[in-house]
Amino acid sequence: MDERQALAAFAALSQDTRLKIIRLLVTAGPEGMASGAIADAAGVSASNVSFHLKELAQAGLATTRREARSIIYVADYAALSGLIAFLMRDCCQGHPEVCTPAITALSECGCTAAMEPA
Amino acid sequence: MDERQALAAFAALSQDTRLKIIRLLVTAGPEGMASGAIADAAGVSASNVSFHLKELAQAGLATTRREARSIIYVADYAALSGLIAFLMRDCCQGHPEVCTPAITALSECGCTAAMEPA
DNA sequence: TCCATGTTTCGATGATCCTTTGAATATCAA
DNA sequence: TTGATATTCAAAGGATCATCGAAACATGGA
């Protein structure tokens, strides 16, 4: 993830409805959600959700696949962790006080099970 | 960090000049940088940098202190790691494939030295 | 084929944001 | 006090963005 992509991702996440949508997609998992279901869950119109989903897809944070009449949106986990990595890489240069609290946050989600001591 | 704060932080980071400024501040460390020095380094006018610094401060990503005629801006490391934590907390619910790559990113910056195995 | 469903696209409107300019404020030195 | 330096503030412009409604497109079933 370069600066250009990070900028696009930050812009995509800086909007109320889109942040809501990303959270929906992330919790929905790899199966994703149909556009209509997202619109219902987010409480916005079909055309409005379509507008925001397009933004998220263009920012690389979501991918799509068609399934019958529905179009399914899936969170791009690699892009999200890439953004996290970008923030960290940028923030840690000689200042571990930035990342150390993040380690605590990490351990809250059970993902540290696979970790090895440094 | 709640959703409102995260939204403000994402908005602050989604602008070219401001992202550049945050990177400058982060690498500058706790000593910070004067407004004028930031303007020079970022290549923008004094009033423009002032505008963006105000945005960053209001988003909680930077703090200020006066030093003689200069006003020194300092990155708020707690807010930055809080944003990282917000992203992670949101993204990991049942999907460790999001956070696991972030662990790799973490280990690149030397901050994992303090870590314990889970 | 015809119709219903799900989604996107287009055009218009109002809101928000970024930049610039010039004036105002604060600090220090002479 | 006067002048110089450092920064902020306020107003105006041009650009970008979000929302809505209507129309268009794609798919599947009768």
Side-chain angles (χ1 to χ4, degrees):
Chain A
M1 162 131 358
D2 60 15
E3 183 158 346
R4 177 180 305 254
Q5 291 174 297
L7 209 49
F10 283 134
L13 294 173
S14 71
Q15 208 278 335
D16 191 36
T17 301
R18 287 196 293 265
L19 186 55
K20 210 174 293 179
I21 291 174
I22 275 291
R23 302 178 87 169
L24 286 168
L25 293 182
V26 160
T27 52
E31 296 167 15
M33 280 178 83
S35 178
I38 298 168
D40 288 347
V44 299
S45 71
S47 77
N48 192 16
V49 88
S50 179
F51 169 79
H52 288 301
L53 286 169
K54 189 178 164 189
E55 298 275 316
L56 289 170
Q58 283 178 344
L61 298 176
T63 57
T64 67
R65 68 170 193 273
R66 179 174 278 277
E67 209 163 88
R69 264 173 290 200
S70 293
I71 294 185
I72 310 292
Y73 284 82
V74 185
D76 189 320
Y77 294 110
L80 287 169
S81 56
L83 189 61
I84 293 169
F86 177 86
L87 260 185
M88 289 179 178
R89 198 168 353 101
D90 237 40
C91 295
C92 291
Q93 314 207 14
H95 302 285
E97 64 268 31
V98 180
C99 289
T100 304
I103 296 170
T104 305
L106 250 187
S107 65
E108 287 172 5
C109 69
C111 296
T112 50
M115 295 179 72
E116 302 282 334
Chain B
M1 161 132 357
D2 60 16
E3 181 157 347
R4 178 179 303 256
Q5 291 173 298
L7 209 50
F10 283 133
L13 294 172
S14 70
Q15 208 278 336
D16 192 36
T17 301
R18 287 195 295 263
L19 185 54
K20 211 175 292 179
I21 291 174
I22 274 291
R23 303 178 87 170
L24 286 168
L25 292 183
V26 160
T27 52
E31 295 167 15
M33 281 178 83
S35 178
I38 297 168
D40 289 346
V44 299
S45 73
S47 77
N48 193 15
V49 89
S50 179
F51 169 80
H52 288 301
L53 285 169
K54 189 179 165 189
E55 297 276 316
L56 289 170
Q58 283 178 344
L61 297 177
T63 58
T64 67
R65 69 170 192 274
R66 179 174 279 279
E67 208 163 88
R69 264 174 289 197
S70 293
I71 294 186
I72 310 293
Y73 283 82
V74 185
D76 188 321
Y77 294 111
L80 287 170
S81 56
L83 189 61
I84 293 169
F86 177 86
L87 260 186
M88 288 179 179
R89 196 166 358 99
D90 236 41
C91 295
C92 289
Q93 315 207 16
H95 302 285
E97 65 268 32
V98 180
C99 288
T100 305
I103 296 170
T104 305
L106 253 186
S107 66
E108 287 172 5
C109 68
C111 296
T112 50
M115 296 178 72
E116 302 282 335

